[in-house]
Amino acid sequence: MEDSPRMDKVDRGENQSSPCQGRRCHPKALSYVTGDMREFANWLKDKPQVLQFFDWFLRGIAQVVFVNNPISGILILVGFLVQNPWWALLGSIGTVVSTLTALLLSQDRSAIAGGLHGYNATLVGLLIAVFSDKGDYFWWLLFPICAVSMTCPLFSSALSSVFSKWDLPVFTLPFNMAVTLYLSATGPYNPFFPSKLITPKTSVPNVTWSELNALQLLKSVPVGVGQIYGCDNLWTGLIFLGAILLSSPLMCLHAAIGSLLGMVAALSLSAPFEDIYSGLWGYNSSLACIAIGGMFVALTWQAHLLALTCALFTAYLGGSMSQLMAVVGLPCCTWPFCLATLVFLLLSTSNPNIYKMPLSKVTYPEENRIFYLQNKKRMAESPL
């Protein structure tokens, strides 16, 4: 989740004497719909407010997976519809309410334009629907979703004030705090808004290794990416991977690797196969791998190894926290991702190849690496 689209990039491939022709035009045309689409954001600045708000809304939906691209947001919205139209509606309402609340609170406009005040509420709307015991199209659920979504900008602003001292992002902590408080307040026996009963395991799971299905394990990789949004549909997960790929191939690669490592961690702990197949072990590690693998740490092979380590650590932490929180009847949400990734971002090292990106310069991995290399060259040329 970045600060805002920046408009300072120079197109070094532009030909001053003649326009590009044939295949040479394709990379330039492709650049308008990939990355963070900053040219589109710049073009929208003098357009009607409704169009700008729709752009902020789409970017907010995509920012859950660190993508600041409205077309990716459209693809992810399509993925919601494939999974469950009711969930798509509630996730969209949460995003709209949170973004409007941020505007009313006069939050930083560039952060709003980048979708940074929408993504937590996207998850709020989706996960309240996922854990609701009332099923689909329980329209009264709109009231708690709107109320809880309005708290997301409050949590984001407060946490940003604290985390800015260490130049750290807030990740999905506002979502975790808001949904944990909501589910704690309601629970499975609430007469108005009951949630699904979550209980810890009380017996040894029946794991028969001869029944392990290789095809299901393969499917669990995209499903794990889909579970970032609480979705367990294979096609939804593949659409999400496509949306990430559109913005950044490096992010897509790390998303898939992170989900794969979550599956490996689950197998090493002999977790129930149904939990692995449903992607529950993959989503936290997928987010962690993206965050460290080029998003908030410039991509080098050392940073890549660090991202793999962080993904495995996150997966094991997720297994631990899911057991601990199940004791009090709560899901672990994305707490493991947030806590583990913050630990890795606070890591101090003298290795110059592990470069933590300044938060104000974070865009997407390919662009972050260019910034890192330019900064490294500048430091090498400096007499100091």
Side-chain angles (χ1 to χ4, degrees), residues 31-48:
S31 69
Y32 288 117
V33 295
T34 57
D36 56 10
M37 289 184 64
R38 63 181 63 133
E39 294 87 358
F40 180 70
N42 193 36
W43 176 79
L44 273 178
K45 281 187 174 180
D46 58 351
K47 299 300 182 290

Side-chain angles (χ1 to χ4, degrees), residues 120-135:
N120 278 293
T122 303
L123 292 177
V124 165
L126 289 167
L127 271 297
I128 287 181
V130 168
F131 289 112
S132 173
D133 202 36
K134 286 288 189 178

Side-chain angles (χ1 to χ4, degrees), residues 88-141:
L89 174 64
L90 296 186
S92 299
I93 289 174
T95 310
V96 169
V97 169
S98 180
T99 305
L100 288 174
T101 303
L103 287 170
L104 291 174
L105 293 175
S106 300
Q107 296 299 295
D108 180 63
R109 184 57 69 96
S110 64
I112 297 174
L116 297 181
H117 284 290
Y119 70 93
N120 278 293
T122 303
L123 292 177
V124 165
L126 289 167
L127 271 297
I128 287 181
V130 168
F131 289 112
S132 173
D133 202 36
K134 286 288 189 178
D136 295 343
Y137 302 102
F138 178 61
W139 294 99
W140 291 106
L141 204 61

Side-chain angles (χ1 to χ4, degrees), residues 12-34:
R12 292 182 290 271
E14 188 178 66
N15 192 321
Q16 295 179 351
S17 59
S18 62
C20 62
Q21 296 178 355
R23 287 180 297 177
R24 295 182 62 186
C25 288
H26 294 167
K28 183 175 176 61
L30 193 62
S31 69
Y32 288 117
V33 295
T34 57

